[in-house]
Amino acid sequence: MTRTVADCLKSAQLAVKQAPEHVENWLSLGQFQQLMEQTGPATRSFEQAWAAAADQQRWALYLTAAEQLLELYQRQGRRQEFVMACLRLLKQPGLDSYGFCAETVLLKLGQFYLTRGPHGVALHYFKQALAQAEQQLDTVSCGEAHFLLGQVLRKLEQLDQAEEHFRLALKIASELKQAARMANLYSVLARFYQQREQWKDAETMQAKSIEVGKLLKQQAGVASGLSNLGIVQMKQEHLMQARQSFTEALELYRSLENPAGEADQLTNLGILATLENQLEDAERHLQQAWQHYQTLALPPRIEQVTQLLVNLAQLQKPHATLQ
């Protein structure tokens, strides 16, 4: 007779009732409660497992319970508990021999503060994570730390340092042959150079991101990259190349059945046609974009395209592109 998850949950509840001192019973109960989407009870079960494992110095199970709790705290937005659990793990001696990676927890802490602030605290934890990863020869975590340091330093407007860390993250990803990671980092660097109005560098990075994305058949990422490449090319007044990029992006978004992406490319093509004084083409593209946005009920985009059509009617050239 096949047992359901509900049956297993009842058995786990009985096991805990009969032997609450067994760490494994609490872990099993928490896992089945998660499967039944009982988030609150699952959290309490893993907290019991974590406490019991600490009392009994069963450090492998201690780490298993901690991993589950960190995920649950984050999912529930329990910020204080998440931070305290991370700090408790970092202060617990003797966990290295059980597979504990302090750099991973330091990165989690840094990401927490990167999202919520203050960013100076995030920077502190990312620097600690990088030092720990370098000490442990953990190349993967080194790459992640460099990437996140680039992100937080950009937010802190320390752009030269941010660029250095992004470049180091890309170097590590290349050495490890992490193609998907490379595609993402090329794209990140392209956006970074756009922010600094270094258009040639932005174009080079975006083109590389697209090249790798095509090899990986990441059609959505390639479409987004082509759209951004077209904007960078238009900023440099490379209008023929921009048209080619926008058109290829438009075809990809259509194949992906993504009407919002399709409308964005029609808008960009409309802006480009206006700049080239091809007013009939511009109106056709913009009207099509307006219809898509109307169907999708996207008021900001509708307003933008409406203004572009007004400009077109007045023979005024728009100066903004979709970002």
Side-chain angles (χ1 to χ4, degrees):
M1 182 177 177
T2 304
R3 299 185 71 196
T4 65
V5 176
D7 292 331
C8 294
L9 176 59
K10 289 179 181 177
S11 297
Q13 288 170 332
L14 180 61
V16 163
K17 187 175 181 180
Q18 292 175 339
E21 72 280 4
H22 288 175
V23 180
E24 294 88 345
N25 289 348
W26 286 108
L27 288 173
S28 295
L29 178 58
Q31 288 161 356
F32 287 121
Q33 287 167 329
Q34 278 191 295
L35 290 173
M36 295 294 289
E37 298 183 357
Q38 298 177 6
T39 304
T43 303
R44 290 189 288 275
S45 294
F46 287 124
E47 286 172 340
Q48 290 283 354
W50 201 25
D55 289 341
Q56 298 170 31
Q57 298 187 9
R58 301 184 66 184
W59 301 120
L61 296 180
Y62 177 88
L63 290 174
T64 300
E67 182 180 358
Q68 295 291 334
L69 277 172
L70 290 180
E71 180 183 337
L72 285 165
Y73 288 150
Q74 280 190 297
R75 194 188 308 168
Q76 296 171 79
R78 295 172 61 176
R79 302 177 182 182
Q80 184 174 355
E81 290 92 338
F82 173 79
V83 172
M84 294 304 295
C86 288
L87 295 175
R88 181 178 168 187
L89 275 169
L90 292 169
K91 290 177 182 177
Q92 181 62 53
L95 295 180
D96 292 356
S97 57
Y98 295 90
F100 175 64
C101 296
E103 57 269 30
T104 301
V105 175
L106 288 164
L107 287 171
K108 286 180 182 291
L109 271 171
Q111 286 173 294
F112 175 87
Y113 287 107
L114 177 63
T115 303
R116 296 168 178 83
H119 294 139
V121 178
L123 178 63
H124 167 74
Y125 283 121
F126 289 146
K127 284 182 175 180
Q128 282 196 331
L130 178 60
Q132 182 71 22
E134 288 175 340
Q135 182 181 337
Q136 298 298 322
L137 303 179
D138 182 351
T139 309
V140 173
S141 292
C142 280
E144 182 69 8
H146 281 301
F147 170 69
L148 291 168
L149 278 165
Q151 295 281 43
V152 73
L153 286 165
R154 180 164 63 177
K155 287 182 179 290
L156 292 168
E157 298 184 357
Q158 299 179 30
L159 299 183
D160 289 339
Q161 292 182 52
E163 179 184 5
E164 181 183 353
H165 284 291
F166 282 139
R167 289 280 189 176
L168 287 168
L170 179 59
K171 181 175 181 289
I172 290 172
S174 178
E175 290 170 352
L176 295 176
K177 301 187 187 321
Q178 297 173 317
R181 183 74 165 168
M182 289 170 63
N184 179 58
L185 282 163
Y186 281 133
S187 183
V188 167
L189 276 164
R191 298 280 184 177
F192 175 80
Y193 288 129
Q194 273 180 266
Q195 182 184 354
R196 304 188 79 177
E197 298 186 357
Q198 296 176 224
W199 303 116
K200 187 174 181 180
D201 290 331
E203 183 175 4
T204 299
M205 290 296 120
Q206 194 64 73
K208 288 183 177 180
S209 175
I210 292 166
E211 181 183 355
V212 178
K214 285 181 176 179
L215 290 174
L216 297 173
K217 298 182 179 180
Q218 295 178 336
Q219 286 188 300
V222 170
S224 176
L226 284 163
S227 176
N228 195 53
L229 178 61
I231 291 170
V232 171
Q233 290 165 332
M234 195 152 57
K235 291 287 188 181
Q236 300 174 88
E237 299 185 1
H238 300 163
L239 302 187
M240 186 178 298
Q241 295 95 320
R243 178 180 296 280
Q244 182 178 344
S245 297
F246 290 144
T247 301
E248 192 175 345
L250 175 62
E251 292 170 355
L252 266 177
Y253 278 122
R254 281 177 174 163
S255 71
L256 293 168
E257 298 182 354
N258 184 329
E262 183 179 343
D264 288 348
Q265 300 323 301
L266 287 166
T267 303
N268 283 332
L269 284 166
I271 293 168
L272 184 61
T274 305
L275 291 171
E276 295 176 319
N277 204 32
Q278 299 175 5
L279 302 185
E280 289 184 5
D281 285 346
E283 183 176 7
R284 176 169 52 85
H285 290 312
L286 292 172
Q287 288 286 3
Q288 289 176 2
W290 189 91
Q291 290 290 346
H292 278 302
Y293 291 138
Q294 191 74 16
T295 301
L296 294 167
L298 297 174
R301 289 294 202 235
I302 294 169
E303 183 180 349
Q304 180 188 20
V305 175
T306 300
Q307 185 60 53
L308 290 170
L309 285 164
V310 169
N311 292 346
L312 182 63
Q314 298 173 348
L315 298 180
Q316 294 176 349
K317 294 183 180 181
H319 301 288
T321 57
L322 293 178
Q323 298 298 327

